[in-house]
Amino acid sequence: MRTVIAGGHGQIALRLERLLAARGDEVAGIIRKAEQADDLREAGAEPVVLDLESASVDEVAERLRGADAAVFAAGAGPGSGAARKDTVDKAAAVLFADAAVKAGVRRFVIVSSMGADPEHQGDEIFDVYLRAKGEADAYVRGLDALDWTILRPGQLTDDAGTGLVRLEARTGRGPIPRDDVAAVLAELVDTPATAGLTLELISGPAPVSVAVKSVAGN
């Protein structure tokens, strides 16, 4: 299986790349800076240098052609201003989704945020972020050509993963190690029966594979 990840140098993406490569999958990560390439190679991923804030749909589709799945894990990141929430968290997600459609990649997983809502009110940076993520999610939901799954993790931590999670349409707020987010993504990519679901994720009682099978109806 070949998976292409947008935001390939992100903390969750690097973890996901390691997991996919370790199970024998082919994985490529889209990055903005060539100097990040060695970190991806070390994780077992093929680095693809492309700026999603300036690339065209055709350019991104070319990088996606032949993939079995696409994962949007890019983000403007902490410290970025409101403008980049719009150009990365919203516009780059929309671009990546459109490119997946153009390239014929049906399986599409987007890493969103708990509380994401296109109608979210407020002018603080985090308000803008939640609105941008919500608008991206709403756009992806409207694309019939994609078998999409939206994952909304709770408060991200760098604690070691436990492999135990709560994955449901509504979990309530709570923390989740990035290790466990990556583990859930690796399972979701390979579980198309979760298409059409928007899922919240926090630490919980269920092993990752059991949690994913449960929401997939197995």
Side-chain angles (χ1 to χ4, degrees):
M1 185 169 182
R2 177 175 172 81
T3 301
V4 178
I5 302 169
H9 195 257
Q11 294 186 68
I12 290 170
L14 285 167
R15 288 167 167 83
L16 176 58
E17 286 154 8
R18 288 189 196 97
L19 291 175
L20 295 177
R23 75 182 189 194
D25 286 5
E26 196 179 321
V27 57
I30 295 177
I31 52 177
R32 275 194 314 136
K33 301 173 182 174
E35 57 265 31
Q36 297 170 335
D38 284 346
D39 291 337
L40 270 73
R41 292 190 190 98
E42 193 179 311
E46 168 201 339
V48 176
V49 181
L50 185 68
D51 187 350
L52 294 177
E53 288 180 88
S54 59
S56 68
V57 171
D58 286 339
E59 286 172 324
V60 182
E62 191 57 41
R63 307 316 199 277
L64 279 165
R65 227 170 290 284
D68 300 292
V71 177
F72 186 82
S80 58
R84 293 203 70 228
K85 305 303 183 197
D86 194 58
T87 58
V88 179
D89 293 295
K90 177 187 173 184
V94 167
L95 173 75
F96 198 60
D98 285 343
V101 171
K102 187 158 191 142
V105 181
R106 287 203 64 92
R107 188 72 183 115
F108 191 91
V109 180
I110 182 168
V111 182
S112 183
S113 175
M114 199 172 285
D117 180 356
E119 304 300 324
H120 183 85
Q121 299 299 307
D123 300 314
E124 298 296 323
I125 293 290
F126 195 64
D127 297 321
V128 176
Y129 169 75
L130 291 176
R131 200 155 50 239
K133 295 298 277 187
E135 287 167 348
D137 293 353
Y139 185 83
V140 168
R141 284 196 193 103
L143 296 175
D144 293 337
L146 295 181
D147 295 328
W148 53 264
T149 303
I150 296 168
L151 183 65
R152 293 178 166 175
Q155 178 195 351
L156 298 171
T157 76
D158 287 325
D159 296 340
T162 65
L164 298 171
V165 301
R166 186 173 170 200
L167 179 70
E168 296 167 18
R170 290 281 182 273
T171 61
R173 296 192 174 274
I176 179 79
R178 289 179 172 87
D179 287 349
D180 291 333
V181 177
V184 169
L185 287 169
E187 288 280 337
L188 288 175
V189 160
D190 214 18
T191 312
T194 59
L197 299 179
T198 300
L199 300 167
E200 294 185 350
L201 173 67
I202 58 174
S203 292
V208 167
S209 60
V210 172
V212 172
K213 284 187 175 73
S214 177
V215 294
N218 297 330

